[in-house]
Amino acid sequence: MFRWILGGREAQGSVEPVLCIGEEQPKNWFTELQVLKGHFDIVRFLVQIDDFRCASAGDDGLVLVWNVETGERLQELRGHSQQITAMTTFTCNNGALPHTSLITASSDKSLSLWDPDTGNRVQTISDLQSSVKCLLVLERLCVWVSGGEELCVWSKDFQLQCQRQNHSDTGVTALIELPKNCIAAAMDKVIVIYRLTVSTDSSLSMSEIRCLSDHQDQVRALININDGLFASGSHAGELILWDAVDWNILAYEHILWETPDHQREGEEDRMGDLILAAVGSVVAYRKVAHDSNVLHTMLLSDSELMSCSEDGSVRMWEIQDLPLPAEPTSPGFFGMWTFGRSNKQSGPPSKKPADVPHVRTLELTGDLIGHSGAVQMFVSFKENGLVTCSTDHLLILWKNGERQSHLRSLALFQKLEENGGL
Amino acid sequence: MIGSPDLVAFTKEDEYGHTNPDPWAVPEEFSVPLHPLVDLNPWAKTSYAKFTKDFILISEFSEQVGPQPLLTIPDDPKVCGSFDLNYFSLRIMSVDYQASFVGHPPGSGYPRLSFVEDSRVVLGDSKEGAFAYVHHLTLYDLEARGFVRPFCMAYVSADERKIMLQFEELSFRFSQASECLKAGNRRAFAKELQRKLRDLEYTHSVLQKEEGLQREARPQTMYSAHAVEKANELANVEKSIYEHRDLLRQISSYHQRPRRDPNAVTCQTCLNECLSECEQLLDKFAKIASPFTHSEDSGEDGRSQPDGEEEVDGEEEEGVRRRPSYTPQLIKAKSAKCFDKRLKTLQELCDDVFYEATVELLKDTERSFRGDLCYLHTRRLDRALRRKQQVTNFLFEEDLGEDEESEFGALRPVCAVNHVRANCTILNPPPVVLQLDPPEPDSDTIQTQQSECHLDSADSDHTVETQETTERYRRGQSGAGPVDRKQDQGGTTSETPDHDLTPDPVLTPDLERESSSEDLETTAGEDEGDSVGDQTPVSLLEVESELMTRREDESEGRPDGTFDMDSDLLIPIDTTCCLSQEGFLYDDSTPLVPPFMDQSSDPQSCETLVVKQEPQALLPLQDQYSVSSPGSGSPAAGLDLPVLAFGDSDSRTSVEEGSDCTLSASTGSERAPSPLGYGGMVTLHQRKKAGQGSLRFVRQYPFAVQALWCLMSGRTLVVLGTDEGRVRRLVSALALFVPGPGKCAEKVQSWLSVPFTLTDLQRWKLIGLQRMASPVGSSMLYSLSRYSRYISILDADQKTLRCPPYCGQLLANMATHRTYIRRGSTYFLHLQSTLCRLAAKAFLFTFTHHLHLPVSSTEAPEVVEGRRHCFLQEQLGLGEDDSLILLYLSQLITQQYLQPTTGGSAASTCFSLKYTTSVLYKI
C-alpha cells in the first residue's frame, strides 16, 4: 500500500544548484516580516498558546511569550538557569474557560509550570535526578508525563504519580500517546509501550507492556498518525508504521541515504512528520529540498507544506498532482521527501519514477529567507502569520503584508474616528 | 523733533483686501529717495549702510548726558562698524512718543508714577541708511527725574521693508522683552522704595528725638531758628514718607491698571510675586503712620519701632530676598535730584535675573531675524506650509522638534524668567474670534481718518494712545472701498503668511480689543510657522513668490483672484533676488504648466518641468482640495518674469559646483559674507551639501532613478564600496530620499564594516557597506547575496546597481541626469518641493477611506482593491512601480499616525518585502 520513493544515489558528480525558486514568488504571501529580539541564545522551541500568542524557549533558559499580532513581547518567564529541553502547553478545563499553562523542562533538572498571562511560575520541581528530555500531556487523564532517564507521571498539581527508571543510557527521547491509556516511549533503539492504569483509589500506576525493537538504530521520532496508527523513524533512516493497538508493524521502509553524514537527527524529526503526511496511497517527494538538513516540517493544509532547515530558510511547498494518469486520490495524502546534499543531486528536482501511479510531487512555492542560522522550528498562526525561531537568537514573524496593511487601515480610520479627525 | 530722523510711515498692505495699485509707493510726503533709482543692483540699496548686519540697540535718554547707547546685541563692535551709535541713539530717542507725564498732576498732592505704555515706532535715517523699529519704554528709578528713566530698544536694519513687514513680530518680541524688563524693574523699584522708606523713618525718628530733646531743654517759650529748621526738616521727612508710601502703593497697583498694549504679556507668577512683595511692604510701612499722629512720646516710639521693624525686616529679607539686612541711614533733607550723582545702570534698574532674561530674549530675537526679508519670508512660508502637513512632515522634512519648541516658546506668552508657561497670561485675553463679527464699515473709515490725522500731527502729547497710533501708522486706506472683513478673515487667518503683518488700525476701545486679540492670534499662528529654523536660507526665492500667491489664494479663497499686494509685494523681491544671482533661475512657467493643472497631465509635464525650471507649483493636490480654488486667473501670471529660459544654467555652470556659500551669502543676508554660521544650521548645511551630492549622483549615474525608486519604495539600498569617503558621500547624498529617516537619520547607516543581518535591514533603509577582501568580506558578500531579495546594491566601485527594474515616471523629474539644475541647493529645494508634493499625495491616499476599506459590508475586498488601483493609476496617474512608492509612503504615514512615538519601542516596526527579481544596471 505504501510506496516509498527513495532518493536514490543520483549523485553523479555534476554540481547542480539547489532547487531555487528565484525571487519571483507570486504564491508567497509572506510579504512582511518582523524581527523579534529577546533571546540571547539559540531558540529551539516554539509553542502556540492561543490564537495570538506563542511562547519561545531556548538555550538561554528564557521563555518569552509573544503577541503574534503586534510582535510585542508580553511576558518574560525567567527561572531556569540552564537551557530548556522541552516545552509544552497544558490546558486545564476545570473552569468555564480553559486555561492554558506552559510546562517547561530544563537542563537544570527542573520542571516548571507557568502562567503565560501573568508570567508567574506557578509550580516548580527542581530536585529531579535527571533532566527531562520530552514532555507529554495526557489531557484525558489530566496528567502529564516527563521522559528523561526516568519516566515520570505527574498530576496536574505537579504531584508525582508514578515513576519508572529506564535502563538505557540515552533515556526517553520521544513520547506519544496511544489509545487505551498507553504511551509509547522511544528509548535508544527500542520503543517501549507503557500502560497507565487508574486504580480504584485514583492512584496511577504504569506498567511496561511491550518492547518493540525492530529498529536498527536509535529511534528519533514518534508520530501519531491517526487513532489506529503511529510511526517511528530512526537515525538510520528507517520508518516503521505501527498499529497503535496491537503494536504490529504495518509497513517498513528504509531510506537509503547516500552518505552517512546526512543522517542527522533533524532528518528524523522531519521523517516523523513525513509519516504523518504519509497515510494514504499517494506519496510525493522532493529530493533537493534544502541546502542542508531539515529540522522541522509541518503540513499546513491539505496541499501546503512547510519545512525549515539548517540552511536558515523556510520553504513552502505545494503538493501537486503530477500530470500522470493517476487515480483520484483521497483528500489525505502524504508526501515523502528525501533530502540530500544539494551538490550531490543531479536529477531534475521533481524526479519521480513514472511507474508509481499515486505519487505526487512537491512544488516549491516560496521560501522565507531571514535567519542567519538554522531555523529550529516554526509555528503557523494561519492567516495571522508564521513564527520561526532560529539559532541566530531571533524569532521572525512573517505576515501577509496585504492583510496587515488592511488591518492597519482599519486601525487608522478607527483612530481617526476616535480623535474626531486629524 | 520729527525733523531730524525720517519718521517712516508704517506702510504695508492692508488686510482688508483692498486693491492698492502699489503698496510700495509711499505717498509723496513720506517718500524719501533713499538712493538713486539708476542703481539697479538691489543689494546696493542697503550697501551704503555703515553696519553689516542687523542688530539690536538699547539706548537711554539719560537725564544727565542725554541720549546714549547702552548696549548692542550682538555685543560685538564689528557689528555696527562705523555706524555712529551715539548719533543714532539721539535720533531714536528723540521720537519718544510715550510722552510720559511727569510730576504732580494738578490736584493731587503726591507725585505720581506715570504708567505709560510702550510705544513702537519705525523710523529711518536716510543718511546712515539705517532703519529701526524703535520700542520705547520707561523704567522707574527713585532717583530719577519724575521717577522715570526712558529707554528704548531698537532693531536696526538697513532694510526698511524688513522692518515694516516684520513689524508685528518685532513688536511682539520687543514687548515681551520690555515686559520682562519692566517686571524686573518694578521689583527693584519696590525694593528701593522700601530702603528709602526705612531710611526716611530712621531719619524721622532721629529728628523727632532731637526735637524732643530740644523741647525738654528749652521750654516752649521761644523757637530758635534752629528749632524751626528742625521742625521743617521733620515735616519734610514726613511728607517724603507719605510720598514714598504712596509710590509704593502705586507701584503695587501697577497690575490693576488696564493695559492697552495688545502685546503686553505678563507672567502671572512674576506678577504675583511682585504683588505680594509690595503688599508686604505696604503693610509694614503702614504701621509707621502711627508715630506722626502721636505727639510727645513719639520719640521713643519712633525710635523703637524702626528697631523692631529692623529685626523683622532682617528675617524677612533674608527669607524673601536673601539680602544682608540693611542698616538705615540718615537722609539729608535735600532732594536727591542732583546731577552729580551716578545714575543706576539698566542692570541695576532691573533685577539681574530679569535683565539676563531680557538680554536672552533679545538675543533670540536678533537670531530669529537674521537674514534678509526674502529669507525670512521663505522661512515663514515654509513653516506655514509644513504646519499644514504635520502628518506627513516626518517623511521628508527634517525634524523641527526642538527648533520649533524654542522659537515657539519665545513667541508664546512665556515668562522669560523661566516660570512655567502655564502661568503666563496674555493681558487683554483675546475673545475668540476666528470667524469675525459683523462687518463694521464705519469703523474703518474712522480709522482711516484718524490714522491720517495722526500722520499729520505726530506730536507727542498723546499719552497712552500714542502707541496705537504710532504703531499703526498707515497709509493706503485711502483708495479703499468698504471693508469686507469677513471675506478676508473668515479663512484661515493665522496661516496666511502676510496677514500677520497687517496692522489693525482701530482706535475705539472695543474695536481695539478685538483687533488686539486678532493681532495676538495672528502672531500666535505665525510663530508656529516661524519656529522652523533655518530651513532654506537660499534661493527659495523663485518658489516663494509663486507659493506665496498660491497660499494666499488658497487660504483666503478670494474668488476674484486679486493677488494684488502679494504679488506686488513679492515681485520686487523676486526680481531683486534673481538679479542678484547672476541671472534668472526662473522660467516662464505659465505656458507650460498651468498652476492648477489637472492630474492626468501631471506625469507627462513633470519631466519637462524639472529640467528647465525647478520650482514647480507646490502641491497641486492641495490646491484641488483647498476651500476654493481661485478660478481661472493663473495666480502665477503676475509673477512671470520676463526672463530667458535657459540663460541661467549656462552662465552659471562655471560658477561653482560645490560652494553654496556665495549664493547664500548673497541672499541670506544682504551683505554679510558668510551667513552660514547663522542659527546653528548644521543640519541644514548638511542637507544642502547632500543636495549637492545628490545632484551629482543624479547627473552621474543614469540609473539614479532606479536607486531613488528603491529608497522611496522602502527597499533597503546598500552602497558598497572600498573607499569610505566615497561611500559616505553617496550615502549622505542619497539620504535625502529616504522617507521618514528619523530625527537623527536613524534609518541611515553611512558606514558599516561588518556583515549585516536582517535586523539591520529592518532598522536601516540606506546602508554604506565596506567592501573588503578579508574573510569578513566574504561573509559580507554572503549576507549580501543571502538577503538580496530585500536589498538593492549600489556598487560604488564598479558603478552598478542591482535592483528590481523600475519604469515609472514619477521620479523622472527628480532624477534626470540631463537636469539643468546646477546648484546643489537649488536642487535640494527642487527635491523638497517634489517630495513635498509626493507626501501630500501619500497623505491623501492614506486618509481616503474608501480606498482602503469597503464602503458597504457587502463589498468584496477585490472591489476595494480595484478602487485603490484605479485611484493610483488614473487619478494620480501612477504606474505600477510608482504606486509602490505611494503605498510605501502611505504605510509609513499609517504607522506614524498609529504610533507616533515609535522611536525605539519594543515592538519593532514591520518590514515589507516584495518577491521580485532584480536586474543589474550598469553605466
Side-chain angles (χ1 to χ4, degrees):
Chain A
M1 155 178 194
F2 286 89
R3 288 258 178 185
W4 301 102
I5 315 301
L6 309 181
R9 299 175 177 278
E10 290 166 328
Q12 289 156 9
S14 67
V15 175
E16 188 203 40
V18 71
L19 171 67
C20 183
I21 185 171
E23 301 296 333
E24 208 80 56
Q25 300 175 7
K27 285 183 183 172
N28 186 351
W29 48 267
F30 292 105
T31 51
E32 198 169 299
L33 65 86
Q34 197 170 357
V35 179
L36 311 180
K37 285 192 279 190
H39 283 285
F40 307 108
D41 209 334
I42 299 173
V43 191
R44 291 189 189 273
F45 300 100
L46 277 174
V47 170
Q48 181 171 359
I49 298 173
D50 49 29
D51 283 344
F52 69 98
R53 285 185 299 173
C54 77
S56 63
D59 286 1
D60 50 5
L62 273 180
V63 181
L64 302 179
V65 182
W66 304 91
N67 181 340
V68 177
E69 283 168 3
T70 63
E72 275 176 288
R73 191 198 302 172
L74 299 174
Q75 296 291 344
E76 196 170 312
L77 315 180
R78 289 175 182 273
H80 288 297
S81 59
Q82 287 184 44
Q83 65 198 51
I84 290 177
T85 52
M87 175 165 70
T88 184
T89 53
F90 183 58
T91 307
C92 275
N93 271 320
N94 45 6
L97 289 169
H99 184 259
T100 304
S101 317
L102 279 176
I103 301 174
T104 55
S106 160
S107 297
D108 60 6
K109 297 181 181 172
S110 66
L111 282 166
S112 295
L113 180 75
W114 308 87
D115 183 351
D117 298 334
T118 62
N120 293 332
R121 192 191 236 192
V122 182
Q123 296 276 359
T124 185
I125 303 163
S126 54
D127 48 355
L128 296 177
Q129 289 166 12
S130 62
S131 62
V132 172
K133 290 181 179 164
C134 52
L135 292 166
L136 174 67
V137 173
L138 303 174
E139 297 203 354
R140 228 167 355 111
L141 298 175
C142 236
V143 294
W144 52 279
V145 184
S146 68
E149 280 175 27
E150 57 210 343
L151 193 64
C152 306
V153 181
W154 309 83
S155 76
K156 64 180 180 186
D157 305 318
F158 268 54
Q159 298 301 314
L160 185 61
Q161 303 290 315
C162 53
Q163 184 176 3
R164 256 197 114 84
Q165 282 296 328
N166 285 307
H167 310 294
S168 72
D169 298 335
T170 50
V172 178
T173 53
L175 281 170
I176 53 165
E177 182 182 4
L178 295 180
K180 297 182 182 172
N181 285 353
C182 289
I183 53 174
M187 278 177 276
D188 201 8
K189 294 178 187 173
V190 297
I191 299 168
V192 183
I193 310 288
Y194 294 98
R195 171 166 288 157
L196 294 173
T197 47
V198 185
S199 55
T200 47
D201 56 347
S202 77
S203 67
L204 271 176
S205 62
M206 182 163 53
S207 54
E208 183 177 332
I209 298 177
R210 186 88 173 253
C211 183
L212 311 170
S213 50
D214 295 277
H215 276 292
Q216 304 296 314
D217 206 342
Q218 206 175 351
V219 178
R220 286 292 181 155
L222 284 173
I223 287 290
N224 266 321
I225 294 166
N226 58 22
D227 279 350
L229 293 171
F230 74 97
S232 64
S234 83
H235 202 91
E238 304 156 299
L239 291 167
I240 300 179
L241 196 63
W242 308 87
D243 186 306
V245 181
D246 55 11
W247 312 297
N248 291 324
I249 298 183
L250 293 178
Y252 176 91
E253 200 62 55
H254 188 92
I255 298 169
L256 295 174
W257 301 97
E258 24 176 329
T259 45
D261 64 315
H262 283 260
Q263 299 168 6
R264 300 217 188 120
E265 55 180 318
E267 289 155 2
E268 293 302 328
D269 189 27
R270 185 266 310 158
M271 247 183 269
D273 274 1
L274 170 68
I275 297 168
L276 164 76
V279 183
S281 55
V282 185
V283 172
Y285 84 106
R286 193 77 198 209
K287 279 193 311 256
V288 195
H290 277 279
D291 287 344
S292 187
N293 298 318
V294 172
L295 295 177
H296 186 73
T297 60
M298 189 188 281
L299 198 61
L300 291 181
S301 68
D302 277 352
S303 60
E304 285 174 76
L305 185 128
M306 258 189 204
S307 61
C308 64
S309 140
E310 278 183 14
D311 63 5
S313 69
V314 177
R315 296 194 164 196
M316 287 167 290
W317 310 87
E318 195 175 62
I319 302 171
Q320 288 181 340
D321 276 321
L322 283 178
L324 284 173
E327 297 168 19
T329 52
S330 55
F333 31 74
F334 323 89
M336 178 226 136
W337 306 265
T338 62
F339 297 85
R341 268 278 145 86
S342 59
N343 55 8
K344 302 280 175 63
Q345 304 288 347
S346 63
S350 59
K351 187 137 190 161
K352 185 196 77 68
D355 57 331
V356 181
H358 301 309
V359 168
R360 295 191 161 200
T361 188
L362 279 178
E363 200 54 47
L364 184 60
T365 58
D367 58 350
L368 306 176
I369 298 175
H371 287 293
S372 54
V375 181
Q376 294 284 344
M377 202 171 181
F378 59 86
V379 169
S380 168
F381 283 82
K382 298 285 177 338
E383 75 271 17
N384 273 335
L386 175 85
V387 186
T388 57
C389 67
S390 153
T391 45
D392 60 5
H393 313 175
L394 299 176
L395 280 85
I396 296 184
L397 190 53
W398 304 85
K399 291 174 173 178
N400 183 344
E402 254 173 64
R403 188 183 138 82
Q404 292 304 316
S405 124
H406 178 72
L407 291 177
R408 275 193 294 266
S409 284
L410 269 178
L412 175 98
F413 287 108
Q414 195 181 346
K415 184 171 176 186
L416 207 59
E417 204 166 317
E418 282 166 11
N419 293 355
L422 280 171
Chain B
M1 189 159 98
I2 278 187
S4 45
D6 316 319
L7 182 67
V8 177
F10 180 50
T11 58
K12 51 188 166 179
E13 77 286 3
D14 50 328
E15 61 189 335
Y16 299 126
H18 299 302
T19 28
N20 289 329
D22 182 5
W24 290 110
V26 184
E28 266 323 298
E29 62 267 32
F30 295 117
S31 71
V32 181
L34 290 180
H35 52 88
L37 288 171
V38 275
D39 190 1
L40 282 179
N41 180 0
W43 309 115
K45 179 185 72 174
T46 51
S47 60
Y48 55 87
K50 288 177 180 156
F51 49 93
T52 51
K53 297 188 216 175
D54 298 358
F55 62 94
I56 292 175
L57 170 70
I58 300 184
S59 335
E60 182 201 358
F61 196 106
S62 162
E63 59 193 53
Q64 292 174 351
V65 298
Q68 59 171 355
L70 294 181
L71 83 157
T72 59
I73 294 170
D75 197 6
D76 181 2
K78 269 185 281 178
V79 170
C80 331
S82 60
F83 188 63
D84 188 351
L85 286 181
N86 276 308
Y87 180 65
F88 198 70
S89 297
L90 172 68
R91 301 207 133 192
I92 57 178
M93 287 311 285
S94 62
V95 275
D96 184 0
Y97 296 112
Q98 288 186 110
S100 46
F101 181 77
V102 181
H104 304 246
S108 83
Y110 301 129
R112 302 214 64 85
L113 282 182
S114 49
F115 290 155
V116 270
E117 297 281 354
D118 299 352
S119 79
R120 302 158 177 81
V121 119
V122 179
L123 45 84
D125 187 334
S126 51
K127 249 185 279 169
E128 299 280 338
F131 294 87
Y133 163 86
V134 186
H135 193 107
H136 291 102
L137 70 154
T138 49
L139 297 180
Y140 300 120
D141 183 356
L142 203 49
E143 291 156 16
R145 191 156 47 104
F147 305 116
V148 287
R149 302 266 305 268
F151 285 89
C152 86
M153 302 181 285
Y155 185 86
V156 186
S157 166
D159 187 0
E160 173 190 356
R161 264 194 324 237
K162 179 172 173 184
I163 288 174
M164 290 301 186
L165 294 175
Q166 309 294 326
F167 184 88
E168 288 295 317
E169 201 184 334
L170 278 169
S171 155
F172 186 86
R173 284 171 176 270
F174 276 93
S175 298
Q176 245 184 337
S178 153
E179 280 308 314
C180 186
L181 274 182
K182 286 197 277 187
N185 173 245
R186 281 195 301 275
R187 297 184 71 161
F189 187 64
K191 269 185 225 163
E192 203 190 342
L193 268 176
Q194 178 200 19
R195 216 173 305 155
K196 183 76 184 255
L197 270 173
R198 209 173 302 136
D199 289 349
L200 285 171
E201 273 160 25
Y202 179 65
T203 317
H204 181 253
S205 64
V206 170
L207 285 176
Q208 267 186 334
K209 216 179 206 171
E210 279 176 16
E211 198 192 23
L213 284 177
Q214 265 181 359
R215 239 182 261 171
E216 272 174 29
R218 243 173 259 182
Q220 43 275 78
T221 48
M222 55 191 306
Y223 292 98
S224 67
H226 181 68
V228 171
E229 193 186 313
K230 277 287 169 208
N232 279 341
E233 211 172 305
L234 190 61
N236 268 337
V237 169
E238 276 180 23
K239 181 169 174 257
S240 184
I241 287 179
Y242 282 120
E243 280 177 7
H244 283 87
R245 214 182 296 149
D246 192 63
L247 284 179
L248 192 56
R249 191 187 48 74
Q250 286 181 41
I251 194 79
S252 64
S253 69
Y254 176 86
H255 66 285
Q256 291 162 351
R257 102 210 131 93
R259 299 296 305 270
R260 305 286 184 89
D261 187 349
N263 290 323
V265 163
T266 314
C267 170
Q268 208 58 48
T269 318
C270 295
L271 204 65
N272 289 339
E273 272 179 24
C274 184
L275 202 61
S276 60
E277 219 167 280
C278 290
E279 271 164 6
Q280 268 182 358
L281 291 178
L282 265 184
D283 285 350
K284 194 164 32 171
F285 291 107
K287 282 186 273 174
I288 313 172
S290 51
F292 307 117
T293 52
H294 291 201
S295 53
E296 290 286 44
D297 48 352
S298 61
E300 284 95 302
D301 250 338
R303 182 78 210 138
S304 62
Q305 208 160 352
D307 283 349
E309 207 61 51
E310 188 64 41
E311 281 173 25
V312 180
D313 272 358
E315 285 170 16
E316 260 183 36
E317 273 176 9
E318 245 149 41
V320 178
R321 288 171 288 279
R322 295 189 188 82
R323 220 161 23 88
S325 79
Y326 174 74
T327 357
Q329 291 162 349
L330 269 182
I331 288 184
K332 293 276 180 276
K334 255 235 188 96
S335 161
K337 282 168 196 155
C338 42
F339 281 86
D340 52 352
K341 71 170 191 291
R342 181 185 144 273
L343 285 174
K344 288 196 182 65
T345 63
L346 182 58
Q347 198 158 359
E348 287 165 336
L349 278 178
C350 314
D351 261 7
D352 274 354
V353 188
F354 287 86
Y355 178 77
E356 298 298 331
T358 311
V359 171
E360 218 34 64
L361 261 177
L362 289 179
K363 275 183 183 161
D364 198 49
T365 307
E366 191 268 332
R367 225 174 288 131
S368 70
F369 280 102
R370 282 177 188 174
D372 73 345
L373 195 56
C374 262
Y375 171 54
L376 290 176
H377 260 304
T378 313
R379 202 171 60 175
R380 178 164 308 172
L381 287 175
D382 185 60
R383 286 167 187 169
L385 189 62
R386 271 197 253 181
R387 208 168 350 111
K388 276 190 162 181
Q389 319 176 309
Q390 266 158 354
V391 184
T392 54
N393 271 342
F394 75 99
L395 283 178
F396 295 112
E397 311 289 343
E398 78 264 33
D399 190 67
L400 313 161
E402 283 177 33
D403 213 355
E404 186 135 21
E405 197 98 79
S406 66
E407 279 194 52
F408 203 12
L411 277 191
R412 272 279 183 85
V414 65
C415 177
V417 205
N418 293 329
H419 285 128
V420 204
R421 185 176 297 179
N423 284 327
C424 300
T425 48
I426 298 177
L427 301 176
N428 290 340
V432 183
V433 257
L434 270 181
Q435 204 71 31
L436 271 207
D437 19 24
E440 291 147 310
D442 301 354
S443 69
D444 201 63
T445 47
I446 292 171
Q447 293 154 23
T448 321
Q449 288 161 4
Q450 290 212 357
S451 56
E452 271 166 4
C453 92
H454 279 302
L455 280 180
D456 298 336
S457 63
D459 37 10
S460 57
D461 49 8
H462 314 267
T463 51
V464 190
E465 298 280 309
T466 359
Q467 57 112 359
E468 281 104 6
T469 62
T470 48
E471 174 187 348
R472 273 115 207 217
Y473 268 125
R474 48 187 289 129
R475 166 217 55 85
Q477 291 268 5
S478 43
V483 193
D484 190 351
R485 315 187 76 181
K486 243 185 195 156
Q487 184 189 16
D488 193 35
Q489 292 167 336
T492 50
T493 320
S494 58
E495 290 185 356
T496 57
D498 271 343
H499 187 87
D500 38 20
L501 300 175
T502 57
D504 229 313
V506 206
L507 294 177
T508 29
D510 275 354
L511 286 175
E512 198 234 334
R513 194 169 308 124
E514 171 226 70
S515 78
S516 66
S517 74
E518 191 185 281
D519 277 356
L520 283 178
E521 205 135 337
T522 42
T523 337
E526 169 197 342
D527 22 340
E528 280 179 16
D530 274 340
S531 44
V532 184
D534 51 50
Q535 164 53 358
T536 48
V538 287
S539 77
L540 239 186
L541 320 165
E542 316 89 2
V543 193
E544 170 193 67
S545 60
E546 194 165 332
L547 209 187
M548 172 83 114
T549 31
R550 283 286 184 115
R551 289 182 35 74
E552 286 293 330
D553 341 321
E554 193 176 280
S555 47
E556 299 194 3
R558 256 179 277 149
D560 51 352
T562 48
F563 311 100
D564 39 58
M565 57 216 186
D566 303 314
S567 49
D568 282 342
L569 180 149
L570 280 161
I571 282 179
I573 300 174
D574 261 358
T575 19
T576 54
C577 294
C578 292
L579 276 171
S580 78
Q581 302 169 13
E582 68 287 358
F584 288 96
L585 303 171
Y586 208 79
D587 185 24
D588 193 29
S589 65
T590 21
L592 272 178
V593 196
F596 303 100
M597 61 192 171
D598 72 356
Q599 282 306 317
S600 54
S601 72
D602 200 358
Q604 217 188 354
S605 52
C606 277
E607 214 172 26
T608 35
L609 284 185
V610 200
V611 188
K612 299 173 209 152
Q613 57 176 95
E614 322 101 51
Q616 202 11 255
L618 279 220
L619 304 178
L621 268 177
Q622 279 203 348
D623 288 330
Q624 287 178 0
Y625 286 83
S626 68
V627 192
S628 72
S629 63
S632 56
S634 72
L639 298 172
D640 289 339
L641 302 170
V643 241
L644 303 173
F646 305 119
D648 61 321
S649 55
D650 297 321
S651 66
R652 223 166 342 98
T653 28
S654 58
V655 175
E656 39 90 38
E657 265 274 305
S659 80
D660 302 317
C661 305
T662 45
L663 182 59
S664 50
S666 63
T667 56
S669 87
E670 298 124 51
R671 303 154 303 278
S674 87
L676 282 182
Y678 272 171
M681 293 180 172
V682 196
T683 327
L684 172 73
H685 192 55
Q686 282 167 351
R687 280 169 70 91
K688 269 195 328 185
K689 276 198 148 173
Q692 184 63 39
S694 9
L695 179 61
R696 201 173 295 146
F697 175 75
V698 162
R699 295 169 68 94
Q700 198 174 352
Y701 294 87
F703 49 74
V705 65
Q706 278 83 9
L708 300 197
W709 176 71
C710 289
L711 285 171
M712 298 189 59
S713 58
R715 194 177 171 106
T716 303
L717 181 67
V718 177
V719 182
L720 187 65
T722 341
D723 176 22
E724 177 170 356
R726 174 192 255 171
V727 171
R728 277 185 186 276
R729 268 197 304 277
L730 265 177
V731 168
S732 68
L734 287 168
L736 289 181
F737 301 96
V738 178
K743 278 180 187 162
C744 325
E746 293 97 340
K747 283 198 186 168
V748 178
Q749 169 69 37
S750 52
W751 185 245
L752 187 71
S753 43
V754 292
F756 59 85
T757 62
L758 191 68
T759 330
D760 300 333
L761 290 183
Q762 189 171 4
R763 190 163 25 148
W764 296 321
K765 288 292 166 202
L766 177 60
I767 303 176
L769 191 66
Q770 182 178 17
R771 166 177 286 161
M772 285 183 290
S774 61
V776 188
S778 71
S779 78
M780 198 173 290
L781 287 181
Y782 171 73
S783 66
L784 275 181
S785 67
R786 174 166 188 79
Y787 296 119
S788 61
R789 80 167 47 149
Y790 305 120
I791 56 176
S792 307
I793 304 167
L794 176 66
D795 193 325
D797 299 331
Q798 289 157 25
K799 303 212 189 308
T800 59
L801 174 71
R802 186 187 170 282
C803 72
Y806 166 72
C807 49
Q809 291 297 313
L810 188 61
L811 300 178
N813 70 347
M814 282 199 286
T816 336
H817 64 280
R818 293 185 303 274
T819 178
Y820 282 85
I821 302 174
R822 287 293 185 273
R823 245 178 243 275
S825 45
T826 315
Y827 182 68
F828 172 66
L829 296 172
H830 168 55
L831 278 188
Q832 289 245 303
S833 75
T834 316
L835 292 177
C836 181
R837 189 184 334 177
L838 205 54
K841 282 182 187 172
F843 173 82
L844 177 66
F845 174 72
T846 311
F847 287 93
T848 308
H849 183 276
H850 68 274
L851 298 180
H852 302 277
L853 301 175
V855 176
S856 67
S857 54
T858 52
E859 217 170 41
E862 293 78 36
V863 182
V864 182
E865 173 74 30
R867 207 157 42 206
R868 180 163 55 219
H869 195 255
C870 173
F871 176 80
L872 288 172
Q873 205 126 65
E874 276 155 40
Q875 287 189 270
L876 296 185
L878 301 175
E880 199 64 42
D881 294 336
D882 292 333
S883 302
L884 284 180
I885 296 178
L886 216 62
L887 286 172
Y888 177 63
L889 295 184
S890 162
Q891 187 195 336
L892 287 179
I893 293 173
T894 310
Q895 278 173 355
Q896 176 82 8
Y897 184 73
L898 289 178
Q899 32 181 217
T901 50
T902 293
S905 80
S908 54
T909 47
C910 287
F911 159 55
S912 335
L913 52 131
K914 260 193 96 231
Y915 299 100
T916 47
T917 48
S918 293
V919 292
L920 191 70
Y921 291 94
K922 291 177 186 163
I923 274 199

